[in-house]
Amino acid sequence: MIRTGAPRRLGVPSSEARLRFDTELQELGGGPRRRLLMVDDEPAFELSFYCGTCPLLFRRLEAAREKLSLESVQERLTGALADPDDGGVIDAFGALLPEGEYLPLLLSVEPRLVIPGKEGDYFSGEQVTTWGIDQFWGLPEYPHTPYYRTFETAVDADAHLYEFIVPMVPPTWNERGRVEEYVASMEQGTVPTAVAISTLDVCQPSLGLGEDPSVHWGLTHFLLDGHHKLEAAATAGRPVRLLSLLTLGESLAAAEDCARLPELRARPRSVRSTGQPTKQV
């Protein structure tokens, strides 16, 4: 299930936003620019580099320790939103974001919790197949956080869409009692709603790095509200509704790529097999 609204102008001046995007030099005197997601003026996540040929990245930094839930809309999020504009939720969370163009997406997701380096980890699996291991460290990229995988599908024969939900704080910080309450309500049929700010990064490897040199479309949802809901859904094997506010100005994707997301996200899930056509599951 996916519903989308028209692109909307949301947000406040960057200096007033609790969450914003920024860049900084990696080291004094030069070096590649780090692309950052900032929370309360502190670098919370390092994101994919601007070059477009580097691997997809979301790496949790030490300042990522704050959730951005809003008490004013909690009642509206206890069940499934029927429309992206339902109940003023977009405007409420828009006040946390930097001014810009956003595409609202209302998705149904079935999250699966992934631990870096363990089974199902994108960074030590699909990414290594395309880029190989990091040439300096001799290791796969490491995101420094558990995260959720939700969906993937073929874009075309040479490109694949991978979707992730990244919590602002690790699931181990969640309150056990609240997670168990959500598990119980989901087992009774409740489908709550979470909220995220999202990026689409289209990353194309240089030739000769890995065995499957495909283009990776990384749709990454940074969770603003719903940390307990996502863990409960992963535990219970139940769906949640996700209201995604996709930033059009800060994604590493062309406007026409972002415009394709509703159609791509509505396709059947399919897994990319190395060097083989994708397989629907």
Side-chain angles (χ1 to χ4, degrees), residues 12-72:
V12 297
S14 182
S15 60
E16 302 173 16
R18 289 198 63 192
L19 184 150
R20 61 184 174 84
F21 297 88
D22 203 353
T23 58
E24 69 175 13
L25 292 178
Q26 195 163 14
E27 54 188 38
L28 293 176
R33 293 193 305 162
R34 291 204 308 173
R35 176 169 163 251
L36 299 170
L37 179 64
M38 310 284 288
V39 176
D40 294 332
D41 292 325
E42 295 285 344
F45 284 88
E46 182 181 356
L47 309 181
S48 313
F49 282 104
Y50 287 99
C51 66
T53 59
C54 292
L56 175 74
L57 181 64
F58 52 84
R59 178 180 290 130
R60 182 172 178 252
L61 304 175
E62 291 182 359
R65 52 180 178 266
E66 294 292 336
K67 302 176 185 178
L68 296 173
S69 299
L70 295 176
E71 289 297 326
S72 61

Side-chain angles (χ1 to χ4, degrees), residues 83-139:
D83 184 88
D85 290 311
D86 189 13
V89 175
I90 289 178
D91 288 334
F93 281 94
L96 302 176
L97 307 179
E99 189 173 13
E101 291 288 326
Y102 296 86
L103 178 65
L105 300 170
L106 189 58
L107 308 172
S108 178
V109 298
E110 296 183 12
R112 174 168 55 94
L113 183 63
V114 173
I115 306 299
K118 302 293 186 180
E119 181 181 357
D121 177 28
Y122 164 83
F123 294 97
S124 56
E126 294 95 332
Q127 190 175 92
V128 169
T129 302
T130 294
W131 275 271
I133 60 175
D134 183 277
Q135 296 300 299
F136 179 78
W137 296 107
L139 297 167

Side-chain angles (χ1 to χ4, degrees), residues 74-232:
Q74 287 306 303
E75 185 175 350
R76 296 182 180 91
L77 300 177
T78 56
L81 289 184
D83 184 88
D85 290 311
D86 189 13
V89 175
I90 289 178
D91 288 334
F93 281 94
L96 302 176
L97 307 179
E99 189 173 13
E101 291 288 326
Y102 296 86
L103 178 65
L105 300 170
L106 189 58
L107 308 172
S108 178
V109 298
E110 296 183 12
R112 174 168 55 94
L113 183 63
V114 173
I115 306 299
K118 302 293 186 180
E119 181 181 357
D121 177 28
Y122 164 83
F123 294 97
S124 56
E126 294 95 332
Q127 190 175 92
V128 169
T129 302
T130 294
W131 275 271
I133 60 175
D134 183 277
Q135 296 300 299
F136 179 78
W137 296 107
L139 297 167
E141 295 286 354
Y142 191 74
H144 290 279
T145 183
Y147 59 93
Y148 300 95
R149 294 192 67 167
T150 54
F151 181 76
E152 60 180 287
T153 197
V155 177
D156 55 39
D158 300 315
H160 205 76
L161 172 69
Y162 301 94
E163 183 179 62
F164 313 93
I165 299 178
V166 183
M168 286 289 179
V169 298
T172 52
W173 291 21
N174 291 337
E175 299 173 20
R176 295 301 99 202
R178 289 189 63 191
V179 173
E180 291 168 3
E181 289 174 3
Y182 278 119
V183 168
S185 66
M186 289 177 184
E187 289 177 343
Q188 296 299 314
T190 300
V191 180
T193 301
V195 183
I197 182 173
S198 308
T199 58
L200 175 64
D201 291 351
V202 177
C203 303
Q204 181 170 357
S206 301
L207 295 177
L209 291 180
E211 60 187 82
D212 181 27
S214 58
V215 180
H216 289 213
W217 291 41
L219 178 57
T220 307
H221 308 291
F222 294 93
L223 200 57
L224 303 179
D225 185 285
H227 287 72
H228 296 88
K229 298 170 186 175
L230 263 293
E231 185 183 354

